[in-house]
Amino acid sequence: NDYKRMAPVYESIARKDPANPKWWANLAAVYLELKEYDKARDATRQAIFLDPRFGDEGKGFLKKIDAREAGK
């Protein structure tokens, strides 16, 4: 699965460039597809923290994570 290969790549990039919210947002999307919901939430919150302009989109993504986890 491509997402399993992408996760360590984005984790490495986020560690090397931790102030860039784009990497955290991408990592959150990968975690969501891997059903790693807590990690997806953490990465989303980090993206919002780093760039408050991501707030509305990030809050929507957090709702999407909750819905996926609930099986909706």
Side-chain angles (χ1 to χ4, degrees):
N1 159 333
D2 287 339
Y3 292 108
K4 285 183 182 179
R5 288 194 300 258
M6 291 169 61
V9 172
Y10 279 120
E11 288 167 350
S12 176
I13 293 169
R15 277 193 302 273
K16 291 177 184 173
D17 188 14
N20 188 332
K22 175 179 149 185
W23 306 130
W24 293 101
N26 289 342
L27 188 54
V30 169
Y31 284 146
L32 176 62
E33 295 304 320
L34 293 174
K35 299 180 181 177
E36 294 187 30
Y37 303 115
D38 289 335
K39 287 183 177 182
R41 285 185 194 93
D42 289 344
T44 302
R45 289 184 186 113
Q46 184 65 14
I48 294 168
F49 172 77
L50 291 169
D51 187 353
R53 294 173 296 175
F54 182 65
D56 289 339
E57 185 178 349
K59 288 175 188 172
F61 197 75
L62 288 169
K63 289 180 183 177
K64 183 176 181 176
I65 295 166
D66 291 342
R68 283 263 188 103
E69 188 174 32
K72 296 180 183 176

